[in-house]
Amino acid sequence: MALLRIPRRALVGVLLGFVLAASLAACGESESETPVAADPPGPVDAQVGDTIDRGGANITLTEVGATRSFGNFDNAEPGFMFISAHFKVQNSGSGSINLDPEVMILELAGGGTGIARQAAPAARLANAGPPPGGEERGWRSWEVPEGTRAATISYKPSADTEIRFGVIVPTEIKERWRV
C-alpha cells in the first residue's frame, strides 16, 4: 500500500489558506463591536423624547449621553463613566413636586443603582420643583460601571407617583463632554 506524499510546502499552504479563510469570515465580528443585548430594567413608561404627565408632573426626557469626564475635577473613577440625562419638568398640578436627587434614581440591570453626581455637561436640574404652572430644565448625572448599556430612571415627584424612563446608553462614550 503506497502512502500519499504531500510536499511540506503544499501542506503549509493549505493550512495557511484555512487560517486566512477563517480570519476573513470573522472580520468585523470583534467582541467590542458586537452589540450588547440589554433592556432597561423593570417596567418603563417612556423613552428619550417622550413626555409623561402624571401626579402633577409633566416631564420630558430630552437627551441622554455618556462620558468619562466633564473636565477639571469632574472625572469618573477608573472603570466607571457618567450617564447624564436632560429633563424638562413642568408643574401641571396645583401643589408642589419634588426634584431632589433622591427622588430621581438610575436603576441598573443587575439590581444596583447609579451614584448621583453633581457633575453635568451644562446647567444641573434644580433640586426644588417648579411652582404650579412653572418649568425647570437641566441635567442629572450618575456614575455607573463602564459597559452599562441600559438603565431605567425612576422619578417620584410625589409619594404616590412614579414615572419610569427606559434608557439605552449611547455607544459613543465621550472622553470629555464639553458644552
Side-chain angles (χ1 to χ4, degrees), residues 20-30 33:
L20 179 61
S23 296
L24 289 174
C27 195
E29 294 181 16
S30 70
E33 293 175 7

Side-chain angles (χ1 to χ4, degrees), residues 54-133:
R54 185 179 300 149
N58 181 298
I59 183 169
T60 305
L61 174 58
T62 60
E63 184 179 352
V64 172
T67 187
R68 290 182 180 84
S69 172
F70 295 111
N72 299 328
F73 299 105
D74 296 325
N75 300 304
E77 294 294 322
F80 288 81
M81 65 184 187
F82 294 110
I83 293 177
S84 295
H86 185 263
F87 295 95
K88 178 177 90 172
V89 182
Q90 298 172 311
N91 186 335
S92 59
S94 57
S96 64
I97 58 174
N98 195 348
L99 283 179
D100 287 333
E102 294 81 29
V103 301
M104 200 171 277
I105 307 296
L106 185 80
E107 299 173 359
L108 302 175
T113 59
I115 301 167
R117 296 292 186 214
Q118 293 293 321
R124 288 182 294 129
L125 189 62
N127 289 346

